[in-house]
Amino acid sequence: MFRNGLLLRMFSQQRSILRRFYCVTGREIQPADGTPSSYFGLLKSATDAKEVLEFLPTISRTKQDRHVYTLPALKTLFELQKNSKSTLRSDQILKHPRFAELCQNVRFESRTFLMNDITECLKILTYLGVHTNSEIITVLLQLIRHQINDVTLDHIVFLSFILKKLDRTPLVEALQIALPMLLQIQIGYKLDHENVQQLVDLLEFVSQHKVNDRTVMNIVSALTLHGTNLSPEQATNALKALASFHNFLPQYGKLLQNVFAVLERDLDELPFKMLDYVLKRVLEKNLEHYPMFYHEPFLKRCAQYAVDHDIGLLNALYLLKKLNKISFLHIPLLDYIAAHAGKLSIVPTSGIITIVAGFSNANYRPPGWETIKEEIARNSTITTGSIPWIRYNLELLSLDIFNPQLLAHWLNPQALEANMARNVLVDYLQLTELGQTLRLLYGGQYQGAYPAKHYVEKSVMLMLQNNDHPLLKPLEFAFGGEEYVSTQVVTEQGHVLDHVIAFDADGNPVKQCVPSVEGAGIRLEDVRQQANKL
């Protein structure tokens, strides 16, 4: 039924080189008198892991009724720990002498376990923190290897999740290699096309593992046929999976649109943390030049979620920070943040930067702006070296928030030289823009240092490297020829103008006879000398 020759050869090459030892050691404690059946009753009413362990029956290896309590005891420990209903921490459970005995009993019984039992035990022991090299974990992994034909598609997904939590060993790595291969073999005849949850789980699995395109398309096609009949959680997980594909094929597009439609419809049912994470994944994918992940209705719903659910200032700023990365504007979200402006003193540095960027991107002044502006200005002095300081100062100025102390700090020649040492090209362009803004708009107020000339010259050089001028030929045709249009004209402040056309006093275009200097363009001042009117 299952072509396992390759898998068996792979496993046969893997030899057990691990030292075997019990998962815990310790002095044995004799339990109170009791039979397995009475102990099983105790498990149903247990309220503490201590009860489960200290009243564990002592049964010889040959006893046939050990199965009555081994798995139930382990499952009870898991439930108590998961629900924080135990006075013992997980590490204290592992050190308890009776836990070693329970692991031994599970090991003795494990050969009779079905695959569901094996995976359940592996889940519980991993959750409790039992070491990968322990005897009980090794035995369970070996059983999976021997019973590989019994592994279903659901088991594949679950085992992949568990194996990621284990340390890397030859056996763990062998199973991790085997699972995607096993999936490819089973997908054609074991896939349940009506089981939406299984389809979503498998989509997540194949997005993280190397499988062939046919396997992926089987899952994508089956899930696409369900249209928008997904829960918001399923849609979220499907969206995260689709964003994880390194190669996003056009055939996935319809499923992506279905998922966005579900989230647009049912977003209010999601907790904020889940929404925040999936939005992060979507925007990261969009910034990686996958335009199909830009879905404006979904982004609007995410922003509106903050307002409708009153998520608080800090959570709203987490949301705004992500939207700022693609300059997405949502006025109700900005109004919501503005309404909490009185709390800006407790907002971290990154939050202030986010607020400034958000209002600057939108060029928006909400009601009561002067009060909000004062609050922003009061908290605007940020001198942390890791911030995008040039852009931040530009954005402050765009909001008409002039902070001379902050500018003097960042434009101090020594500080500027240190900050520009990383030689990021966009820094030169933004620094020149900052100098231009200060000279032309705040020249009467700003008394501090300006960017040195060599920064401006490098910025000009970078802009002159742009030789893409789609309007050049139409302008030359419209105004009489190439001698009437000057290209890449440079001002004293470091502006680079794509094209300049000079006119005489009568409004007629004037021929240009100004030669360009190689690497420096044409000076605007030279153009002015030849024309009466610009």
Side-chain angles (χ1 to χ4, degrees):
M1 178 181 70
F2 171 61
R3 296 171 294 173
N4 59 358
L6 177 59
L7 296 181
L8 291 176
R9 285 199 301 274
M10 177 176 63
F11 281 123
S12 64
Q13 293 171 0
Q14 182 273 128
R15 295 291 182 262
S16 176
I17 59 174
L18 305 174
R19 291 183 59 197
R20 294 197 172 190
F21 52 87
Y22 294 121
C23 54
V24 291
T25 59
R27 180 174 55 85
E28 289 192 5
I29 297 178
Q30 295 300 320
D33 293 337
T35 63
S37 58
S38 63
Y39 178 71
F40 187 65
L42 179 144
L43 291 179
K44 293 183 177 180
S45 59
T47 58
D48 197 306
K50 191 179 296 186
E51 297 177 50
V52 177
L53 293 172
E54 292 184 355
F55 294 98
L56 185 71
T58 300
I59 296 183
S60 68
R61 292 180 58 174
T62 59
K63 276 285 187 180
Q64 298 301 310
D65 55 359
R66 187 169 41 233
H67 67 279
V68 173
Y69 70 87
T70 50
L71 273 178
L74 206 56
K75 291 179 180 179
T76 303
L77 283 177
F78 173 71
E79 291 298 327
L80 291 170
Q81 290 302 107
K82 184 181 70 171
N83 297 318
S84 301
K85 292 182 179 180
S86 175
T87 58
L88 297 178
R89 301 187 308 272
S90 293
D91 62 312
Q92 292 174 316
I93 290 177
L94 297 187
K95 294 175 183 178
H96 198 289
R98 305 309 303 282
F99 184 72
E101 184 179 331
L102 177 60
C103 287
Q104 282 283 35
N105 292 336
V106 170
R107 185 174 69 85
F108 296 149
E109 288 296 314
S110 61
R111 294 189 182 277
T112 66
F113 287 171
L114 299 175
M115 185 56 64
N116 284 343
D117 297 328
I118 298 172
T119 56
E120 182 76 6
C121 286
L122 195 60
K123 175 192 75 174
I124 295 170
L125 296 173
T126 303
Y127 178 84
L128 293 175
V130 176
H131 197 275
T132 305
N133 287 338
S134 64
E135 183 176 20
I136 184 61
I137 294 290
T138 302
V139 166
L140 293 173
L141 292 176
Q142 290 285 7
L143 286 172
I144 294 171
R145 179 176 74 88
H146 286 296
Q147 299 180 35
I148 197 72
N149 287 335
D150 298 327
V151 173
T152 66
L153 293 176
D154 290 333
H155 289 142
I156 290 172
V157 173
F158 185 72
L159 285 171
S160 175
F161 173 76
I162 295 298
L163 291 174
K164 288 179 182 178
K165 296 182 177 296
L166 299 178
D167 295 334
R168 296 184 64 179
T169 67
L171 183 53
V172 169
E173 291 181 353
L175 286 171
Q176 287 176 324
I177 294 172
L179 292 180
M181 298 168 60
L182 187 60
L183 176 73
Q184 291 181 153
I185 294 170
Q186 293 188 2
I187 199 73
Y189 64 95
K190 284 192 175 182
L191 184 65
D192 184 354
H193 289 252
E194 300 305 315
N195 188 337
V196 174
Q197 187 58 54
Q198 183 190 76
L199 293 172
V200 171
D201 292 340
L202 289 173
L203 184 67
E204 290 188 273
F205 179 87
V206 297
S207 72
Q208 299 166 9
H209 296 83
K210 189 175 181 180
V211 297
N212 58 42
D213 289 342
R214 185 176 65 177
T215 298
V216 178
M217 278 310 305
N218 276 340
I219 298 167
V220 170
S221 298
L223 194 53
T224 302
L225 290 175
H226 286 274
T228 59
N229 295 321
L230 284 73
S231 71
E233 292 79 10
Q234 290 169 339
T236 298
N237 291 332
L239 184 53
K240 289 188 293 186
L242 289 170
S244 298
F245 283 109
H246 296 296
N247 185 22
F248 191 90
L249 301 179
Q251 295 91 321
Y252 307 165
K254 180 57 178 176
L255 177 59
L256 180 62
Q257 293 303 310
N258 290 346
V259 166
F260 276 132
V262 173
L263 291 176
E264 185 186 352
R265 180 190 70 205
D266 299 329
L267 197 69
D268 289 329
E269 297 180 30
L270 291 177
F272 173 73
K273 286 187 177 180
M274 186 178 292
L275 177 152
D276 189 58
Y277 178 73
V278 76
L279 179 62
K280 175 177 179 289
R281 298 290 293 114
V282 166
L283 294 180
E284 285 175 348
K285 199 68 175 177
N286 185 251
L287 290 170
E288 292 172 9
H289 307 292
Y290 288 89
M292 66 286 294
F293 280 86
Y294 181 87
H295 189 80
E296 188 167 338
F298 168 71
L299 297 177
K300 285 183 177 179
R301 287 285 290 112
C302 287
Q304 190 61 40
Y305 180 102
V307 181
D308 295 342
H309 291 259
D310 192 14
I311 62 175
L313 178 59
L314 292 181
N315 284 335
L317 292 179
Y318 293 147
L319 205 60
L320 179 61
K321 184 177 181 179
K322 296 175 180 62
L323 298 177
N324 282 345
K325 292 182 178 180
I326 60 170
S327 298
F328 185 82
L329 310 180
H330 191 264
I331 299 304
L333 177 61
L334 295 178
D335 285 336
Y336 179 82
I337 291 170
H340 293 77
K343 301 178 182 177
L344 291 190
S345 59
I346 64 171
V347 170
T349 297
S350 60
I352 299 296
I353 295 172
T354 296
I355 291 172
V356 171
F359 283 101
S360 176
N361 285 339
N363 191 26
Y364 176 60
R365 307 293 186 269
W369 169 247
E370 288 305 318
T371 302
I372 299 167
K373 176 182 170 182
E374 289 176 7
E375 285 296 320
I376 295 175
R378 188 177 297 114
N379 295 278
S380 64
T381 303
I382 300 173
T383 56
T384 307
S386 59
I387 73 167
W389 66 271
I390 308 176
R391 189 184 70 205
Y392 174 62
N393 278 281
L394 280 169
E395 289 167 343
L396 282 173
L397 293 175
S398 75
L399 298 176
D400 197 24
I401 297 176
F402 177 67
N403 188 331
Q405 292 79 20
L406 181 66
L407 291 164
H409 169 83
W410 288 113
L411 293 177
N412 174 277
Q414 290 76 25
L416 184 58
E417 183 177 355
N419 287 319
M420 297 298 287
R422 59 181 187 164
N423 198 33
V424 177
L425 298 185
V426 71
D427 285 353
Y428 290 94
L429 301 176
Q430 291 183 342
L431 181 61
T432 298
E433 185 180 355
L434 179 59
Q436 294 165 353
T437 303
L438 289 174
R439 288 185 187 278
L440 298 176
L441 301 180
Y442 295 91
Q445 299 172 260
Y446 180 65
Q447 304 299 319
Y450 285 89
K453 186 176 180 181
H454 66 275
Y455 296 124
V456 177
E457 290 174 345
K458 183 161 185 176
S459 170
V460 169
M461 180 190 70
L462 292 171
M463 288 188 284
L464 289 175
Q465 291 175 358
N466 176 25
N467 295 315
D468 184 18
H469 300 105
L471 291 179
L472 178 59
K473 292 301 179 183
L475 288 173
E476 290 175 348
F477 178 79
F479 290 98
E482 62 181 26
E483 63 269 28
Y484 289 91
V485 182
S486 298
T487 300
Q488 291 187 318
V489 179
V490 180
T491 73
E492 289 183 349
Q493 306 299 332
H495 301 93
V496 176
L497 311 176
D498 285 346
H499 309 293
V500 171
I501 301 169
F503 297 88
D504 61 21
D506 297 324
N508 300 311
V510 177
K511 289 185 178 181
Q512 303 297 309
C513 302
V514 182
S516 63
V517 179
E518 186 175 355
I522 299 172
R523 295 176 65 246
L524 180 62
E525 289 71 25
D526 294 337
V527 175
R528 279 177 170 158
Q529 291 176 5
Q530 297 189 25
N532 299 320
K533 181 180 178 182
L534 290 178

